[in-house]
Amino acid sequence: MSAVSDRLPTFPWDKLTPYKATAAAHPDGIVDLSVGTPVDPVPELIQKALVAAADSPGYPTVWGTPELRDAITGWVERRLGAREVTHRHVLPIVGSKELVAWLPTQLGLGPGDRVAYPRLAYPTYEVGARLARAEHEAYDDPTELDPEGLKLLWLNSPSNPTGKVLSKEDLTRTVAWARSHGILLFSDECYLELGWEADPVSVLHPDVNGGSYDGIVAVHSLSKRSNLAGYRAAFLAGDPAVLGPLLEIRKHGGMMTSAPTQAAVIAALGDDDHVRVQRERYASRRELLREALVTHGFRIEHSEASLYLWATRGESCWDTVDHLAKRGILVAPGDFYGPAGAEFVRVALTATDERVAAAVQRL
C-alpha cells in the first residue's frame, strides 16, 4: 500500500484545515468558496428519473443502456456541434475525476512515458501520471513540448482554476500538432457550458478537428451543469479506437455507472432549461463576488468562464487565504494548481445566494 501512496503528493486540501477553522469561527459563520461543490438542488425532473429507476436489482453495463448512449450522442451533436457521432464514439464514466486519475494506467503508460498538462491545472492530471509511474510535466504552450515519449496530452478549456478559454484557433493548432506526432489528446471540457465572457468550443467541433475524431477524446461531466456531483455522472466522446479498448478494460474492472444514475443522466442531457436556470444563478453570484473582490483590492485574471474567479492581491496565496479566513471566507490557494499560482487564490461561485451576500458584505 505504501508503495502506491508514496508516489502521490500530500493531499492539498488537508493544508486548508486550520484556515477553515478560522473562517468557521466567524460570528456569522463560514462562507466556503474553496472546493467548488454544487449547493443548489438537483433539478426535479432528474430526481424523478432517478427514483423511477430505483428498483434496479441487476448489474448495470459499463457501456450503459442504449438509451443512455442515445442521450449522450444526441447532446454531443446538439450542444457541441459534433457530427456523425455513434454509440462507438461515447463511453459513460463514474465521474470525471476517476477517469483523470486512472486514465494513464488504463492506457498502459508507465516509466519512460510522459504525460503533459497545463502550467496551472487540476492536480489530478499529475496524480494520474504518478499512479502509472509515468513522467509528468506542465506546459505553457503544448506545441512547444518535446514530442519524444509524450503519450498523453491534456487540454483543459475552460480552465480549472483560471477560467481561461482556449480559442478555436489554438485548439485547431494543438489538435493538428498532436496528430502529427501521434500523441493522444484528451480535452477536459467539464466547464464548457459555463462561458461568461467567451463561448468555449469543443475539440469535437468539426472546425477544430477537420471532421475526424482520430486521436482525440473529450471529457464531460454533469456535476456542474446539472448539480450532479453527488451522482458521479460523466462521459467520454471521441475516437472509437481509444474508447473501445477503454471499454474492455473498464468491463474487467467493473467501472459501471449505477442504473439509477444512468436514468438520471438521460433526463439531464435531454433538458436544457435547468442548465439555463443554473447558469443564471452562477452569473448573478459571479457578478456580485467579482465586484466585491475588485473593490476590496483584488485583481481578477482570465475567469471568462467556469465556476471560479482567479484573483490576486500581489502577495503569497497563503497570506490571502489567511486574510479572507479572518473575515470568515474560505478560498483555495493558487499553489494547489501549480507553482505559477503562488500569488493567486481560486474563489468558487458555489455557495448559496445568502452566503454569497454574506461574503460581499464582509468584503
Side-chain angles (χ1 to χ4, degrees):
M1 287 296 292
S2 63
V4 177
S5 62
D6 286 350
R7 298 179 211 157
L8 303 179
T10 301
F11 188 63
W13 295 99
D14 291 344
K15 301 176 185 178
L16 265 187
T17 299
Y19 299 95
K20 185 172 184 178
T22 297
H26 190 279
D28 186 37
I30 188 174
V31 179
D32 193 342
L33 306 178
S34 62
V35 177
T37 184
V39 297
D40 299 303
V42 173
E44 187 175 355
L45 85 160
I46 300 175
Q47 294 190 46
K48 286 182 176 179
L50 184 85
V51 171
D55 185 14
S56 297
Y59 289 113
T61 62
V62 173
W63 202 15
T65 63
E67 294 78 13
L68 174 61
R69 300 196 295 274
D70 282 343
I72 295 172
T73 57
W75 183 86
V76 166
E77 292 191 343
R78 184 180 82 250
R79 179 62 184 85
L80 305 183
R83 297 290 180 266
E84 299 179 2
V85 181
T86 72
H87 285 196
R88 294 175 56 247
H89 292 89
V90 299
L91 178 62
I93 53 177
V94 191
S96 57
K97 184 171 185 175
E98 166 263 303
L99 183 280
V100 174
W102 293 107
L103 178 64
T105 298
Q106 291 175 11
L107 292 173
L109 304 190
D113 297 324
R114 292 165 50 231
V115 176
Y117 45 80
R119 181 77 57 194
L120 285 164
Y122 185 45
T124 312
Y125 303 136
E126 177 184 336
V127 166
R130 286 175 176 267
L131 286 170
R133 294 191 178 93
E135 298 175 21
H136 53 88
E137 63 184 286
Y139 63 77
D140 293 309
D141 180 344
T143 65
E144 295 178 356
L145 290 164
D146 179 358
E148 182 68 28
L150 182 58
K151 298 298 179 65
L152 174 60
L153 174 64
W154 280 106
L155 300 185
N156 179 209
S157 176
S159 164
N160 174 16
T162 69
K164 180 180 179 181
V165 174
L166 295 176
S167 69
K168 185 182 291 186
E169 293 72 24
D170 283 338
L171 290 171
T172 302
R173 177 174 58 89
T174 304
V175 167
W177 179 84
R179 282 176 170 167
S180 71
H181 294 289
I183 298 165
L184 178 59
L185 185 152
F186 264 67
S187 180
D188 181 348
E189 303 176 351
C190 290
Y191 295 92
L192 186 135
E193 295 208 85
L194 296 167
W196 312 115
E197 299 164 8
D199 187 13
V201 179
S202 172
V203 296
L204 301 180
H205 195 286
D207 288 354
V208 172
N209 60 41
S212 168
Y213 302 115
D214 290 351
I216 58 172
V217 177
V219 184
H220 283 270
S221 167
L222 286 86
S223 293
K224 309 301 193 288
R225 71 183 296 278
S226 300
N227 299 334
L228 295 191
Y231 284 43
R232 309 316 300 137
F235 60 88
L236 305 177
D239 189 347
V242 177
L243 299 187
L246 281 179
L247 172 60
E248 293 305 311
I249 292 166
R250 295 170 69 84
K251 283 180 180 178
H252 283 288
M255 292 177 162
M256 322 170 206
T257 304
S258 76
T261 296
Q262 292 188 31
V265 171
I266 294 169
L269 292 179
D271 177 74
D272 293 332
D273 287 342
H274 77 276
V275 180
R276 175 185 52 78
V277 170
Q278 191 59 45
R279 275 181 53 87
E280 290 172 355
R281 289 186 183 124
Y282 285 136
S284 174
R285 293 164 187 166
R286 178 179 181 272
E287 183 178 353
L288 291 169
L289 283 169
R290 186 183 187 110
E291 181 179 355
L293 288 166
V294 170
T295 301
H296 194 74
F298 282 86
R299 184 178 80 254
I300 309 296
E301 289 195 2
H302 301 302
S303 306
E304 57 259 31
S306 84
L307 280 181
Y308 312 105
L309 292 170
W310 187 239
T312 181
R313 300 201 319 158
E315 64 184 5
S316 163
C317 59
W318 288 100
D319 289 342
T320 305
V321 168
D322 181 62
H323 171 82
L324 291 174
K326 289 174 179 174
R327 287 153 180 80
I329 302 168
L330 189 66
V331 297
D335 66 4
F336 278 10
Y337 308 95
E343 291 190 353
F344 285 81
V345 293
R346 193 194 73 171
V347 184
L349 310 179
T350 50
T352 64
D353 292 344
E354 183 274 330
R355 287 288 84 187
V356 167
V360 169
Q361 189 275 329
R362 295 174 196 180
L363 290 169

